[in-house]
């Protein structure tokens, strides 16, 4: 439906528009800059695309939104389509997680976003001017962002069933990046109208921004466990040490949970290790969804996980642990096996809890107490929560 709508409006817009030589020059300039930027940052974009596990923000809005502001609708839509065609041919083609149908859908989303935002500034002779004109540009940027985010989120939801805002719309940093590209797009449009010779210099901040975003993604990737998507042991330890020092200064409490999947070896033996990895990821997601928003989940090793609960008292820790335990019990994980798809059910988790300062005043002591509680939960029948204080 989205692609059909985009194709229809693109054809109608192209046929209904009347073009002048100046508009073709602006169109060619924006397309040339977009192609040059994509070529100069091919390796950066490919690596960013590989690292990203949620809606991906690229640099195309710099050029497409500038086109919305300075081009007739037909040329603005054609600009977006050609930019995405070039990206497919030169950057994304051959990447297993960037198949052609996704590129077509994203291009359709850009067409619809350009059309919706272009309707805000249509009728102006050139760029909107004055205070009222500035508000129109801001309104057009907001419409562009909202429409594009909604169309992409619709695709993610229908494809994966995900409901978490992060999965559907990306993180705050992702959306800030999109807003930044729209600001650069506005600057590009102003340059094309008032100082065309300066427009190529927009490439420099775009390229630097693209590379800096990649650096940030690499930093995040270094702290994330590749199989489960939660913090790795090193990152969780570093974060926990900082939170523990903050708790000591504020004389507040802090909780630690240690979790171990019961009989996980049977999952690997029956369904295979690849299926076991899928189960581990599902369990990590269940833990993350059922702890508090500001808690930190990490993979301790194998099928063991840890959770840091800042500010949690003995009264707070047990309800969180029980929510997690029940969530894991309710999981039904579809996995691929040699004999075809199968569903893993009947999972359970044993949980040990400790609270600062009664459970210890240093992280290693807290972990030792939580680990002792975990083994007590294992020895008393599994699938339960046990909390201990330091001896």
């Amino acid at each position: 439906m989205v692609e059909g709508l985009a194709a229809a409006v693109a054809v109608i817009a192209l046929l209904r528009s009347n073009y002048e030589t100046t508009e073709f020059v602006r169109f060619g300039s924006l397309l040339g800059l977009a192609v040059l930027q994509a070529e100069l940052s091919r390796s950066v974009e490919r690596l960013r695309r590989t690292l990203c596990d949620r809606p991906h923000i690229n640099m195309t809005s710099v050029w497409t939104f500038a086109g919305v502001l300075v081009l007739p609708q037909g040329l603005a839509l054609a600009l977006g389509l050609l930019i995405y065609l070039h990206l497919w041919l030169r950057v994304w083609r051959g990447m297993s997680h960037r198949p052609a149908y996704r590129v077509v859908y994203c291009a359709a989303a850009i067409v619809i976003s350009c059309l919706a935002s272009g309707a805000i500034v249509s009728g102006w002779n050139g760029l909107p001017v004055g205070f009222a004109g500035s508000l129109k540009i801001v309104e057009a940027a907001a419409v562009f962002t909202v429409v594009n985010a909604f169309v992409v989120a619709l695709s993610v939801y229908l494809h994966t069933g995900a409901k978490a805002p992060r999965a559907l719309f990306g993180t705050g940093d992702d959306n800030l990046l999109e807003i930044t590209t729209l600001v650069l797009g506005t600057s590009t449009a102003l340059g094309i109208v008032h100082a065309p010779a300066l427009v190529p210099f927009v490439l420099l901040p775009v390229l630097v921004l693209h590379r800096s975003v990649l650096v940030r993604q690499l930093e995040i990737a270094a702290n994330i466990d590749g199989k489960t998507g939660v913090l790795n042991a090193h990152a969780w330890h570093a974060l926990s040490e900082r939170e523990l020092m903050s708790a000591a200064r504020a004389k507040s409490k802090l909780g630690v949970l240690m979790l171990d999947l019961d009989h996980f070896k049977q999952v690997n033996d029956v369904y295979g290790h690849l299926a076991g990895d899928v189960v581990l990821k599902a369990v990590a997601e269940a833990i993350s969804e059922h702890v508090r928003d500001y808690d930190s989940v990490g993979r301790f090793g194998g099928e063991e996980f840890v959770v840091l609960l800042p500010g949690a008292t003995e009264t707070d820790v047990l309800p969180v642990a029980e929510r997690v335990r029940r969530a894991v019990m309710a999981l039904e994980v579809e996995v691929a096996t040699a004999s075809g798809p199968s569903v893993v059910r009947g999972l359970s988790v044993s949980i040990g809890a400790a609270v600062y300062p009664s459970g210890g005043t240093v992280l290693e002591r807290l972990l030792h107490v939580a680990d002792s509680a975990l083994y007590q939960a294992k020895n008393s029948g599994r699938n339960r929560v046990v909390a201990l204080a330091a001896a």
Side-chain angles (χ1 to χ4, degrees):
M1 289 172 61
V2 168
E3 292 164 0
L5 176 62
V9 297
V11 170
I12 292 171
L14 283 167
L15 293 177
R16 291 180 61 184
S17 299
N18 296 316
Y19 308 119
E20 299 177 358
T21 302
T22 301
E23 293 164 343
F24 278 113
V25 171
R26 292 174 177 175
F27 171 82
S29 299
L30 288 173
L31 181 60
L33 287 169
V35 168
L36 180 58
Q37 178 261 314
E39 290 293 333
L40 291 174
S41 57
R42 280 179 64 196
S43 59
V44 172
E45 176 61 19
R46 286 179 69 88
L47 186 52
R48 281 197 63 226
R49 180 65 263 182
T50 301
L51 292 171
C52 193
D53 60 350
R54 54 184 182 270
H56 176 69
I57 308 297
N58 54 41
M59 300 293 111
T60 58
S61 295
V62 174
W63 320 112
T64 55
F65 188 64
V68 166
L69 297 179
V70 301
L71 297 175
Q73 280 190 342
L75 288 182
L77 301 186
L79 176 67
L81 292 172
L82 289 175
I83 288 173
Y84 267 77
L85 177 61
H86 173 261
L87 283 170
W88 163 248
L89 293 175
R90 294 287 296 160
V91 181
W92 294 329
R93 186 168 58 173
M95 301 181 73
S96 59
H97 49 285
R98 197 62 172 165
Y101 75 87
R102 289 190 181 178
V103 178
V104 172
Y105 185 88
C106 289
I110 288 295
V111 166
I112 294 174
S113 302
C114 288
L115 184 72
S117 58
I120 304 297
V121 294
S122 64
W124 293 77
N125 185 18
L127 274 174
V129 294
F131 182 74
S134 299
L135 290 180
K136 283 290 183 182
I137 293 175
V138 172
E139 186 180 350
V143 169
F144 185 98
T145 302
V146 170
V147 172
N148 189 50
F150 174 79
V151 175
V152 173
L154 175 65
S155 166
V156 174
Y157 173 73
L158 292 175
H159 184 66
T160 67
K163 297 180 181 179
R166 176 189 174 94
L168 295 175
F169 300 104
T171 65
D173 287 345
D174 293 329
N175 289 282
L176 183 60
L177 174 61
E178 175 69 3
I179 292 171
T180 303
T181 61
L182 296 177
V183 171
L184 288 170
T186 302
S187 301
T188 303
L190 289 168
I192 282 181
V193 173
H194 300 295
L198 298 178
V199 172
F201 291 99
V202 175
L203 275 174
L204 182 60
V206 174
L207 292 172
V208 172
L209 175 64
H210 204 190
R211 187 170 292 276
S212 66
V213 172
L214 171 62
V215 171
R216 176 60 180 157
Q217 284 184 247
L218 289 170
E219 290 175 348
I220 293 172
N223 292 326
I224 298 299
D225 177 66
K227 287 186 178 180
T228 61
V230 298
L231 293 174
N232 59 34
H234 175 76
W236 187 89
H237 267 88
L239 175 63
S240 299
E241 291 283 8
R242 293 194 298 270
E243 290 289 346
L244 189 59
M245 287 189 288
S246 296
R249 287 194 299 268
K251 294 182 169 53
S252 62
K253 296 197 173 186
L254 176 148
V256 171
L257 302 179
M258 291 198 71
L259 309 89
D260 187 80
L261 276 170
D262 299 324
H263 304 298
F264 183 68
K265 184 176 183 299
Q266 294 180 4
V267 175
N268 286 330
D269 292 343
V270 174
Y271 300 99
H273 288 277
L274 293 180
D277 291 344
V278 175
V279 170
L280 282 177
K281 183 172 179 60
V283 170
E285 291 172 351
I287 297 171
S288 300
E289 288 174 7
H290 289 85
V291 297
R292 303 169 307 174
D293 291 341
Y294 47 90
D295 295 334
S296 300
V297 181
R299 186 182 179 201
F300 206 62
E303 63 269 24
E304 282 193 322
F305 296 88
V306 281
V307 182
L308 181 74
L309 301 97
T313 65
E314 289 82 356
T315 304
D316 301 323
V317 164
L318 292 179
V320 174
E322 281 294 338
R323 281 204 308 272
V324 171
R325 188 185 66 82
R326 290 193 295 269
V328 172
M329 285 182 63
L331 283 176
E332 294 185 354
V333 186
E334 184 173 332
V335 298
T337 67
S339 57
S342 187
V343 177
V344 179
R345 298 183 179 89
L347 295 169
S348 68
V349 64
S350 299
I351 305 176
V355 176
Y356 168 87
S358 61
T361 56
V362 296
L363 182 60
E364 292 306 319
R365 181 59 178 164
L366 275 172
L367 288 172
H368 176 75
V369 171
D371 190 49
S372 298
L374 168 63
Y375 275 94
Q376 185 171 317
K378 289 277 190 183
N379 293 332
S380 57
R382 294 186 171 86
N383 191 25
R384 62 193 63 208
V385 178
V386 172
L388 293 179

